[in-house]
Amino acid sequence: MNALSPLRTEISRLWHQVNREMRSLLDDAFRQSAMPPPVYFMLREIVREPGITVSELSRRVAMVKSHVSRTVDHMADRGYVRKESDPADQRLIRLYATAPAERELEQTDRRVCAAWQSLVADMSAEELAAVEQGLRILLKTLERNATTRPREKV
């Protein structure tokens, strides 16, 4: 195994620290909401694509299908999601957000947005541009890497 260069080791350490701090920042936003993060991320996808299936939803949120299925059942019990059989294929269940869920999603979106705004409020335009550029480079590298590595079934 090759030892990582000091710069790569520092990037790894910084990434871990940024991830932990972002989780903490967003946890505060979600604490004020009745919607836990997994429900929020799933509901966003259901609102984006009404009629999405559990299988497609699990791919989009990168979670195991059984976990997504249990969460969707919980969301349906709470009145956030309506499940309907696909008229063309009765084996498929289509998911639709309810009006109360969409309102709660909007409120949670505002809290998450406010958390982001508070984070970047003191950053200069140059700092924001540097962060954006760094994230674009990282995303491009991740996408390139994703095409060359074997994919796990989600």
Side-chain angles (χ1 to χ4, degrees):
M1 181 170 111
N2 294 339
L4 289 177
S5 71
L7 180 58
R8 286 191 173 105
T9 301
E10 180 64 3
I11 289 170
S12 176
R13 186 194 67 75
L14 287 169
W15 184 259
H16 178 73
Q17 188 175 351
V18 165
N19 188 38
R20 186 177 59 242
E21 294 299 326
M22 285 303 301
R23 192 173 314 132
S24 176
L25 177 77
L26 292 176
D27 280 350
D28 287 344
F30 283 109
R31 246 184 243 104
Q32 300 169 24
S33 171
M35 189 175 289
V39 171
Y40 171 78
F41 292 113
M42 287 181 205
L43 194 54
R44 276 192 353 186
E45 292 302 323
I46 294 167
V47 167
R48 277 191 194 130
E49 187 178 329
I52 192 170
T53 64
V54 169
S55 293
E56 180 59 24
L57 183 59
S58 70
R59 280 190 286 281
R60 297 257 181 99
V61 297
M63 291 181 184
V64 177
K65 186 178 172 187
S66 60
H67 176 70
V68 171
S69 184
R70 281 190 307 273
T71 304
V72 165
D73 288 343
H74 174 71
M75 292 165 67
D77 291 344
R78 289 185 71 179
Y80 280 171
V81 172
R82 238 180 31 257
K83 299 191 305 187
E84 296 180 9
S85 295
D86 186 307
D89 183 349
Q90 294 293 311
R91 296 170 298 175
L92 290 178
I93 302 297
R94 302 284 177 184
L95 306 174
Y96 300 91
T98 63
E102 289 188 29
R103 284 191 297 274
E104 182 65 32
L105 182 65
E106 286 175 21
Q107 291 174 354
T108 304
D109 271 337
R110 281 195 292 277
R111 289 182 183 103
V112 169
C113 251
W116 274 103
Q117 290 300 319
S118 72
L119 177 66
V120 300
D122 293 332
M123 294 174 78
S124 69
E126 294 81 18
E127 289 170 325
L128 284 170
V131 169
E132 180 186 10
Q133 180 184 18
L135 289 172
R136 288 187 187 281
I137 290 167
L138 181 60
L139 183 58
K140 182 178 161 186
T141 304
L142 287 165
E143 288 169 346
R144 188 172 51 239
N145 181 269
T147 62
T148 61
R149 72 175 187 268
R151 299 297 284 183
E152 271 187 48
K153 276 194 160 187
V154 178

